[in-house]
């Protein structure tokens, strides 16, 4: 077998995704696609906004030379400047183009960051529930994932965080609005995280990066301002993409932003520029860099996702599911009515409803349902959710 | 210092690139950009062909939904089918869409391949002179690079290759037309490589992949047909991009193709699909997938590169440089007139001519000059090439 042993093990760990995917295909074939209610995927539903279409049309007609060639690995300087200007306006922190690196989505950003700061066996802390791809990113970049817990409201448990940090901890990845919970970490949580990291740095004589994965930053359904990390820890990096806010998941366009007050930012940017190049990304796709530069303040129609949130969350609460109300992203993460979340997922499949078990997010006993789907999918799923809930409670 | 120690070491190894780059900036500032003759970069000069512009305009106006969302990690099925059809026609090998994975350029393809087949300490053989990024790709994917030599015509030395292969060898990367030599490996070389790999597999009881990095495959200035690898080793993978043939280096669009006769191709495709996802590429940029699907037979005007080849190669031979005539790509790789290639590069810099020392390609004593530049750059460099050559021979 020529396949990497390590990759085979990793694939085995995530083989439940494939089994679920295959189950979905079988159900569609057996019952018709219109009778299967698939809430398992995080594939942004909404088409890119009109501003994007206008930019794309403009760029397609633009004959400026040298726009499809290699540019500096960090991105076109004018694109970096535009992104910085919008982020500075949004965050109130004076980010400049020198602190921006355009990336192949947020996933590309995180791999680039991890490659730049990890040596073999270095540790990265995750807060469960976490996006299920993080452990693979960490392993690929030769690190070791450590897990800290969240409290009952899915907010960081600082005591748990502190005990997960050790002398080899190089980074903490947070993700707010969170996939899978939809919860937004408030300013107080970010501040407490920053303090915990500073204490740990002093205790161990190390430097620990706070990496904030923010692809859902503009998908927020409450009035609270989004708390940025930059004021709470000098070694902090924003990683994000336009997959969700501009509906461009397939285009692989995102960026990372360094903290202007990070004393190590110049060395870090050098390392990131080396890593994005040598990991094979080379640079973020040229045309998409130019397409998003001028529309940093545009988004898909967030109200549509909010209405879907209300529809699904409301229905689940009505049935009796326990669930922290999500204020962002496009997921709910309710408690499974039976302790075994994979068994619950199987029972739901029999009702032609597809969701993801909490084990996929490091948090068994729960499940994730995505509402980035057409309303008929949400509406059609409700009877199944009710039936399995009632079975569990009968 | 929060930067990975390993990355710092790697950056140090390639710090000459930065020094050269900085020297170039200083020279331009001191003497004016129009007086500096920069032959150091492999940034494709020619704009994408008219077919690309037409496709881009068509796609920008196309309102088909779901085209910017996530698609299967391997790419849009219809794009994979189109690419396969064109490759089958070109190679005479019945490749199908199931054997194609759309990638973030050839660099993304190679990292994805290496991640899928390497465990820590596994070895990958390179034929020197080789593209200077390969060692970083191999190291990032936890492998160890081993080097075999080429002969005086820059063709693979099979004896050297066989002694570089050991029990932990998992792959050989070849690159034809070659960066930096411009040489095309003839069918006989590919056949001999295939036989050597088969012998080694039998000797060690292993499976060894032949990875053919072919971004210059359509930049060929002779009449000889391009020899494909698929008929010469069952475990073989083509990795390529449209950076050069369509002038889309910044767009990060390429593909890899598995050998239809590889008995392990299904498992390998599964592993590659996992790796492209979890390395953070996720998928090749969606719009560019669709843009290149229908123009697989189009290229930039190759005759322009051929004329530049003739101009630079002819001038260097006239002066007295020893150089294997390149039949493809857009580089010449002459012998340095003094043994120390970095000293030669410094002497050329004084004449405002920038080239890359052979050490950057694992082959000291030579230098690479790129002719993917405007003619005035080539023409302006000739006096400098002459002066330094005459100094060395006086």
């Amino acid at each position: 077998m020529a396949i990497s042993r390590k990759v085979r093990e990793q694939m085995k760990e995530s083989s439940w995704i494939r089994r679920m995917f295959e189950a979905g295909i079988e159900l569609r074939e057996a019952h018709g696609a219109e009778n299967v209610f698939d809430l398992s995927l995080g594939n942004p539903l909404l088409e890119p906004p009109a501003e994007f279409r206008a930019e794309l049309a403009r760029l397609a007609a633009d004959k400026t030379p040298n726009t499809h060639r290699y540019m500096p690995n960090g991105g076109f300087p004018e694109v970096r400047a535009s992104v910085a200007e919008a982020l500075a306006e949004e965050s109130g922190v004076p980010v400049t183009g020198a602190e921006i690196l355009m990336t192949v989505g947020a996933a590309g950003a995180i791999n680039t960051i991890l490659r730049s700061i990890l040596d073999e066996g270095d540790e990265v802390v995750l807060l469960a529930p976490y996006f299920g791809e993080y452990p693979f990113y960490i392993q690929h970049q030769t690190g070791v994932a450590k897990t800290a817990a969240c409290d009952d409201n899915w907010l960081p448990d600082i005591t748990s965080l502190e005990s997960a940090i050790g002398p080899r901890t190089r980074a903490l990845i947070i993700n707010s609005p969170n996939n899978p919970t939809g919860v937004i970490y408030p300013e107080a949580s970010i501040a407490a995280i920053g303090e915990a990291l500073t204490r740990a740095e002093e205790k161990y004589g190390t430097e620990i990066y706070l990496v904030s994965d923010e692809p859902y930053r503009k998908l927020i359904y409450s009035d609270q301002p989004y708390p940025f990390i930059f004021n709470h820890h000098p070694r902090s990096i924003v990683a994000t993409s336009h997959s969700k806010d501009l509906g461009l998941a397939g285009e692989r366009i995102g960026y990372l932003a360094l903290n202007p007050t990070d004393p190590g930012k110049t060395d870090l940017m050098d390392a990131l520029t080396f890593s994005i190049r040598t990991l094979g990304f080379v640079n973020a796709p040229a045309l998409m860099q130019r397409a998003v530069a001028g529309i940093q303040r545009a988004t898909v129609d967030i109200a549509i996702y909010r209405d879907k949130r209300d529809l699904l969350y409301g229905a689940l609460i009505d049935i009796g599911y326990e669930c922290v109300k999500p204020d962002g992203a496009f997921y709910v993460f309710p408690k499974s009515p039976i302790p075994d979340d994979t068994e619950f997922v199987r029972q739901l499949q029999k009702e032609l409803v597809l969701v993801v078990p909490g084990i996929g997010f490091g948090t068994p006993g729960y499940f994730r349902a995505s509402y980035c789907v057409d309303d008929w999918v949400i509406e059609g799923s409700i009877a199944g959710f009710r039936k399995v809930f009632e079975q569990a409670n009968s």
Side-chain angles (χ1 to χ4, degrees), chain A:
Chain A
M1 168 71 94
I3 310 302
S4 160
R5 195 180 59 248
K6 186 179 160 196
V7 164
R8 273 182 282 154
E9 283 162 14
Q10 291 168 329
M11 290 173 73
K12 217 170 181 177
E13 274 173 50
S14 63
S15 59
W16 57 268
I17 298 181
R18 166 167 296 232
R19 282 198 305 274
M20 238 178 44
F21 184 72
E22 285 167 355
I25 292 174
E26 285 164 24
L27 289 177
R28 284 185 188 87
E29 280 171 2
H31 301 275
E34 72 284 7
N35 294 311
V36 177
F37 310 106
D38 189 348
L39 307 171
S40 70
L41 300 175
N43 195 356
L45 176 74
L46 301 182
E47 290 294 321
E51 292 92 333
F52 173 78
R53 298 199 59 82
E55 279 299 273
L56 190 58
R58 185 180 67 77
L59 292 171
D62 178 11
K63 296 193 173 169
T64 308
N66 302 324
T67 59
H68 300 289
R69 303 175 75 189
Y70 292 122
M71 80 295 304
N73 297 111
F76 290 111
E78 61 276 20
V79 171
R80 298 167 75 179
S82 285
V83 167
E85 193 188 312
L87 182 61
E89 182 185 298
E90 188 187 350
S91 66
V93 175
V95 184
T96 70
E99 284 112 25
I100 300 291
L101 186 96
M102 300 305 295
T103 62
V104 176
I110 295 170
N111 273 280
T112 301
I113 293 166
L114 295 177
R115 178 63 280 138
S116 300
I117 62 177
L118 296 182
D119 280 303
E120 198 177 334
D122 283 345
E123 294 172 3
V124 179
V125 177
L126 302 174
L127 292 166
Y130 52 75
F131 178 46
E133 301 288 77
Y134 292 151
F136 298 127
Y137 300 167
I138 294 166
Q139 289 164 28
H140 285 330
Q141 307 313 334
T142 72
V144 175
K146 295 284 168 180
T147 308
C150 285
D151 66 18
D152 289 346
N153 293 312
W154 301 130
L155 296 181
D157 176 332
I158 300 299
T159 309
S160 174
L161 172 61
E162 294 208 280
S163 60
I165 297 175
R168 296 213 57 184
T169 302
R170 294 289 169 267
L172 163 68
I173 301 179
I174 63 172
N175 172 220
S176 163
N178 184 264
N179 175 5
T181 68
V183 163
I184 300 165
Y185 297 171
E187 189 94 34
S189 290
I190 305 291
I193 286 172
E195 287 158 18
L197 293 181
T198 302
R199 279 194 300 275
E201 288 181 330
E202 283 166 7
K203 177 174 172 185
Y204 296 113
T206 54
E207 297 187 328
I208 304 175
Y209 269 94
L210 173 59
V211 179
S212 179
D213 181 23
E214 308 180 353
Y216 303 99
R217 188 175 80 221
K218 297 188 181 176
L219 272 59
I220 293 186
Y221 316 118
S222 70
D223 295 332
Q224 47 182 325
Y226 183 77
F228 279 87
I229 56 174
F230 287 148
N231 292 326
H232 298 290
H233 190 60
R235 278 164 290 288
S236 53
I237 310 174
V238 166
T240 191
S241 80
H242 294 298
S243 296
K244 286 83 183 181
D245 57 16
L246 291 174
L248 296 175
E251 302 297 354
R252 314 310 304 132
I253 183 70
Y255 65 85
L256 60 81
L258 306 189
N259 191 334
T261 67
D262 177 2
K265 68 180 177 180
T266 307
D267 284 341
L268 180 59
M269 187 54 85
D270 282 352
L272 292 164
T273 305
F274 173 82
S275 294
I276 196 173
R277 192 189 95 211
T278 53
L279 285 171
F281 298 108
V282 183
N283 55 251
L287 183 72
M288 285 298 146
Q289 287 190 42
R290 297 172 71 222
V292 302
I295 58 169
Q296 286 289 305
R297 291 157 191 85
T299 64
V300 297
D301 185 353
I302 307 301
I304 297 175
Y305 282 135
R306 190 195 55 216
D307 290 348
K308 290 179 189 295
R309 189 268 318 252
D310 292 343
L311 179 61
L312 179 60
Y313 173 77
L316 291 172
I317 293 295
D318 275 353
I319 293 168
Y321 284 90
E322 289 176 47
C323 183
V324 176
K325 186 173 183 179
D327 277 332
F330 37 54
Y331 311 102
V332 293
F333 195 62
K335 193 167 184 177
S336 167
I338 57 174
D340 182 345
D341 50 310
T342 53
E343 171 56 23
F344 170 75
V345 167
R346 272 192 293 272
Q347 292 180 10
L348 264 185
Q349 276 181 1
K350 288 183 195 146
E351 307 307 319
L352 310 186
V353 176
L354 308 181
V355 301
V356 183
I359 184 76
F361 309 93
T363 310
Y366 293 80
F367 67 94
R368 187 193 77 174
S370 302
Y371 52 83
C372 56
V373 292
D374 288 319
D375 285 353
W376 69 263
V377 180
I378 300 174
E379 287 157 0
S381 72
I382 294 172
F385 277 122
R386 184 180 306 277
K387 184 168 170 191
V388 176
F389 184 85
E390 287 173 354
Q391 280 168 4
N393 289 281
S394 65

mmCIF file of all heavy atoms in Angstrom, chain A residues 4-19:
data_model
loop_
_atom_site.group_PDB
_atom_site.id
_atom_site.type_symbol
_atom_site.label_atom_id
_atom_site.label_comp_id
_atom_site.label_asym_id
_atom_site.label_seq_id
_atom_site.Cartn_x
_atom_site.Cartn_y
_atom_site.Cartn_z
ATOM 1 N N SER A 4 0.305 6.917 2.606
ATOM 2 C CA SER A 4 0.870 7.255 3.910
ATOM 3 C C SER A 4 0.076 6.590 5.032
ATOM 4 O O SER A 4 -1.152 6.677 5.076
ATOM 5 C CB SER A 4 0.831 8.776 4.074
ATOM 6 O OG SER A 4 0.923 9.145 5.430
ATOM 7 N N ARG A 5 0.781 5.946 5.946
ATOM 8 C CA ARG A 5 0.128 5.293 7.089
ATOM 9 C C ARG A 5 -0.609 6.338 7.929
ATOM 10 O O ARG A 5 -1.737 6.137 8.370
ATOM 11 C CB ARG A 5 1.203 4.592 7.928
ATOM 12 C CG ARG A 5 0.691 3.583 8.927
ATOM 13 C CD ARG A 5 1.858 2.970 9.701
ATOM 14 N NE ARG A 5 2.612 3.996 10.402
ATOM 15 C CZ ARG A 5 3.869 4.368 10.104
ATOM 16 N NH1 ARG A 5 4.529 3.771 9.133
ATOM 17 N NH2 ARG A 5 4.464 5.333 10.779
ATOM 18 N N LYS A 6 0.060 7.467 8.109
ATOM 19 C CA LYS A 6 -0.523 8.543 8.920
ATOM 20 C C LYS A 6 -1.836 9.031 8.295
ATOM 21 O O LYS A 6 -2.836 9.210 8.991
ATOM 22 C CB LYS A 6 0.487 9.691 9.005
ATOM 23 C CG LYS A 6 0.080 10.813 9.922
ATOM 24 C CD LYS A 6 1.172 11.886 9.959
ATOM 25 C CE LYS A 6 0.615 13.210 10.445
ATOM 26 N NZ LYS A 6 1.522 14.335 10.149
ATOM 27 N N VAL A 7 -1.805 9.214 6.987
ATOM 28 C CA VAL A 7 -3.020 9.686 6.309
ATOM 29 C C VAL A 7 -4.120 8.630 6.391
ATOM 30 O O VAL A 7 -5.292 8.956 6.594
ATOM 31 C CB VAL A 7 -2.710 10.084 4.845
ATOM 32 C CG1 VAL A 7 -3.975 10.190 4.008
ATOM 33 C CG2 VAL A 7 -1.943 11.402 4.821
ATOM 34 N N ARG A 8 -3.722 7.362 6.279
ATOM 35 C CA ARG A 8 -4.748 6.317 6.405
ATOM 36 C C ARG A 8 -5.410 6.361 7.779
ATOM 37 O O ARG A 8 -6.621 6.209 7.909
ATOM 38 C CB ARG A 8 -4.133 4.935 6.157
ATOM 39 C CG ARG A 8 -4.120 4.573 4.671
ATOM 40 C CD ARG A 8 -3.563 3.186 4.458
ATOM 41 N NE ARG A 8 -2.112 3.187 4.560
ATOM 42 C CZ ARG A 8 -1.373 2.137 4.903
ATOM 43 N NH1 ARG A 8 -1.959 0.982 5.209
ATOM 44 N NH2 ARG A 8 -0.066 2.227 4.950
ATOM 45 N N GLU A 9 -4.603 6.581 8.818
ATOM 46 C CA GLU A 9 -5.175 6.684 10.172
ATOM 47 C C GLU A 9 -6.100 7.891 10.285
ATOM 48 O O GLU A 9 -7.177 7.819 10.866
ATOM 49 C CB GLU A 9 -4.052 6.803 11.213
ATOM 50 C CG GLU A 9 -3.372 5.474 11.503
ATOM 51 C CD GLU A 9 -2.015 5.660 12.184
ATOM 52 O OE1 GLU A 9 -1.727 6.773 12.666
ATOM 53 O OE2 GLU A 9 -1.243 4.682 12.211
ATOM 54 N N GLN A 10 -5.655 9.000 9.721
ATOM 55 C CA GLN A 10 -6.484 10.211 9.782
ATOM 56 C C GLN A 10 -7.802 10.002 9.042
ATOM 57 O O GLN A 10 -8.859 10.437 9.493
ATOM 58 C CB GLN A 10 -5.716 11.392 9.170
ATOM 59 C CG GLN A 10 -4.531 11.841 10.016
ATOM 60 C CD GLN A 10 -3.613 12.798 9.279
ATOM 61 O OE1 GLN A 10 -3.465 12.729 8.064
ATOM 62 N NE2 GLN A 10 -2.980 13.701 10.015
ATOM 63 N N MET A 11 -7.714 9.331 7.899
ATOM 64 C CA MET A 11 -8.931 9.093 7.117
ATOM 65 C C MET A 11 -9.899 8.189 7.876
ATOM 66 O O MET A 11 -11.111 8.355 7.795
ATOM 67 C CB MET A 11 -8.572 8.480 5.764
ATOM 68 C CG MET A 11 -7.877 9.463 4.830
ATOM 69 S SD MET A 11 -7.268 8.677 3.310
ATOM 70 C CE MET A 11 -8.815 8.417 2.435
ATOM 71 N N LYS A 12 -9.326 7.236 8.607
ATOM 72 C CA LYS A 12 -10.154 6.330 9.409
ATOM 73 C C LYS A 12 -10.910 7.122 10.476
ATOM 74 O O LYS A 12 -12.103 6.927 10.687
ATOM 75 C CB LYS A 12 -9.242 5.306 10.086
ATOM 76 C CG LYS A 12 -9.800 3.913 10.190
ATOM 77 C CD LYS A 12 -8.668 3.019 10.647
ATOM 78 C CE LYS A 12 -9.044 1.582 10.790
ATOM 79 N NZ LYS A 12 -7.842 0.799 11.176
ATOM 80 N N GLU A 13 -10.174 8.037 11.133
ATOM 81 C CA GLU A 13 -10.794 8.888 12.159
ATOM 82 C C GLU A 13 -12.002 9.633 11.611
ATOM 83 O O GLU A 13 -12.958 9.894 12.323
ATOM 84 C CB GLU A 13 -9.802 9.963 12.631
ATOM 85 C CG GLU A 13 -8.865 9.549 13.724
ATOM 86 C CD GLU A 13 -7.828 10.651 13.962
ATOM 87 O OE1 GLU A 13 -8.225 11.818 14.111
ATOM 88 O OE2 GLU A 13 -6.625 10.328 13.969
ATOM 89 N N SER A 14 -11.897 10.045 10.347
ATOM 90 C CA SER A 14 -12.984 10.850 9.793
ATOM 91 C C SER A 14 -13.856 10.028 8.851
ATOM 92 O O SER A 14 -14.593 10.563 8.042
ATOM 93 C CB SER A 14 -12.421 12.084 9.079
ATOM 94 O OG SER A 14 -11.636 11.700 7.982
ATOM 95 N N SER A 15 -13.771 8.700 8.995
ATOM 96 C CA SER A 15 -14.507 7.850 8.053
ATOM 97 C C SER A 15 -16.016 7.945 8.265
ATOM 98 O O SER A 15 -16.791 7.654 7.367
ATOM 99 C CB SER A 15 -14.048 6.402 8.184
ATOM 100 O OG SER A 15 -14.273 5.953 9.503
ATOM 101 N N TRP A 16 -16.444 8.403 9.458
ATOM 102 C CA TRP A 16 -17.881 8.566 9.694
ATOM 103 C C TRP A 16 -18.469 9.609 8.747
ATOM 104 O O TRP A 16 -19.629 9.528 8.374
ATOM 105 C CB TRP A 16 -18.160 8.949 11.152
ATOM 106 C CG TRP A 16 -17.459 10.200 11.581
ATOM 107 C CD1 TRP A 16 -16.235 10.291 12.159
ATOM 108 C CD2 TRP A 16 -17.927 11.540 11.428
ATOM 109 N NE1 TRP A 16 -15.903 11.602 12.367
ATOM 110 C CE2 TRP A 16 -16.924 12.387 11.937
ATOM 111 C CE3 TRP A 16 -19.098 12.107 10.910
ATOM 112 C CZ2 TRP A 16 -17.057 13.775 11.943
ATOM 113 C CZ3 TRP A 16 -19.222 13.488 10.915
ATOM 114 C CH2 TRP A 16 -18.212 14.303 11.429
ATOM 115 N N ILE A 17 -17.643 10.597 8.334
ATOM 116 C CA ILE A 17 -18.121 11.602 7.378
ATOM 117 C C ILE A 17 -18.497 10.914 6.075
ATOM 118 O O ILE A 17 -19.550 11.149 5.497
ATOM 119 C CB ILE A 17 -17.025 12.660 7.081
ATOM 120 C CG1 ILE A 17 -16.655 13.420 8.348
ATOM 121 C CG2 ILE A 17 -17.489 13.624 5.986
ATOM 122 C CD1 ILE A 17 -15.596 14.495 8.126
ATOM 123 N N ARG A 18 -17.589 10.045 5.635
ATOM 124 C CA ARG A 18 -17.841 9.338 4.384
ATOM 125 C C ARG A 18 -19.059 8.426 4.507
ATOM 126 O O ARG A 18 -19.899 8.375 3.616
ATOM 127 C CB ARG A 18 -16.605 8.519 3.999
ATOM 128 C CG ARG A 18 -16.880 7.482 2.912
ATOM 129 C CD ARG A 18 -15.608 6.944 2.348
ATOM 130 N NE ARG A 18 -14.900 8.022 1.706
ATOM 131 C CZ ARG A 18 -14.435 7.965 0.455
ATOM 132 N NH1 ARG A 18 -14.606 6.880 -0.263
ATOM 133 N NH2 ARG A 18 -13.803 8.970 -0.068
ATOM 134 N N ARG A 19 -19.142 7.709 5.635
ATOM 135 C CA ARG A 19 -20.294 6.814 5.804
ATOM 136 C C ARG A 19 -21.593 7.614 5.756
ATOM 137 O O ARG A 19 -22.582 7.192 5.163
ATOM 138 C CB ARG A 19 -20.190 6.051 7.135
ATOM 139 C CG ARG A 19 -19.213 4.878 7.086
ATOM 140 C CD ARG A 19 -19.450 3.896 8.234
ATOM 141 N NE ARG A 19 -19.416 4.543 9.536
ATOM 142 C CZ ARG A 19 -18.297 4.752 10.238
ATOM 143 N NH1 ARG A 19 -17.128 4.370 9.761
ATOM 144 N NH2 ARG A 19 -18.358 5.341 11.411
#
